[in-house]
Amino acid sequence: MREDSVERTQTKPDGGGAAGRRTGRLRRKSTLIMLAVISSLVVFGTTTQTWVHVKLGQGVVQQADLNVAGSKAATAVTALALVALAGALAASIGRRVSRVVAAVIIFLGAVGIIVSSLAVVLNAQAAAAGPVGTATGVTGQSSDVTTTAFPLIATAAAVVLALTAVLIAWLGRTWNQRTKYDSSGAGAGRRTAAPAGSAAGSADPTAVPARPEVRDDIDSWDELSHGNDPTA
């Protein structure tokens, strides 16, 4: 009975350890940078799709329907997505101060994307006014304007991008830093590896040459008394 309880205890899944591993992966530099890059690319990808669908009035001679892409409905979103992408790449190669600056740029770009995307959702008529006037040559015409899901997708990706920027600024302080224990361990490894290298025949200019063993006549007679040839 006691053995069964011990076995059940040993086979119990370690939920805390799995949660700790997931948290550790989230703190990694590669994970956060990749998340920022993917979020920026998602935002940029949505701007190539239709954000606003316009059904023109009967008095307009041109085409009945007009699809407005995100790059025209919210021109700032495309530029801000590229700025955030450049900031993510800069954070991956920069040091502590430059990494914080890049994280601030990413965060501001994400906020700008959120504001511009929500502006299209809340006032699609104003967002489509410029493209409609360019396509028809007439401004102020009545039209039926609806938005697609892509502005909301861009907003969600920008929220993830903003949170990632905060994590980069906060956790980036601990990236690529060596402690004194790492330095002492590396120094000990080099000191330990030096004799092995000299034994293999590598020349070390700072190494002290071993002094030859000095033997006198008494040592030679002792060797002969034990049956050994000292001249061998």
Side-chain angles (χ1 to χ4, degrees), residues 55-184:
K55 186 175 182 180
L56 300 175
Q58 297 296 328
V60 181
V61 180
Q62 279 77 8
Q63 58 185 0
D65 296 331
L66 181 64
N67 295 323
V68 181
S71 58
K72 295 181 179 180
T75 55
V77 173
T78 303
L80 291 173
L82 294 177
V83 169
L85 179 61
L89 297 178
S92 65
I93 60 176
R95 295 184 179 272
R96 179 184 297 182
V97 177
S98 58
R99 190 179 298 126
V100 173
V101 174
V104 172
I105 294 174
I106 296 172
F107 181 80
L108 294 178
V111 172
I113 293 171
I114 293 173
V115 172
S116 299
S117 301
L118 290 180
V120 174
V121 175
L122 297 177
N123 194 357
Q125 188 77 35
V132 169
T134 303
T136 61
V138 180
T139 58
Q141 294 293 326
S142 61
S143 58
D144 184 12
V145 181
T146 57
T147 58
T148 63
F150 289 104
L152 297 178
I153 295 175
T155 303
V159 170
V160 175
L161 185 62
L163 295 177
T164 305
V166 173
L167 292 177
I168 291 175
W170 178 255
L171 300 177
R173 301 175 299 170
T174 61
W175 293 344
N176 298 332
Q177 292 184 5
R178 296 180 59 186
T179 62
K180 61 180 182 179
Y181 303 103
D182 297 333
S183 300
S184 61

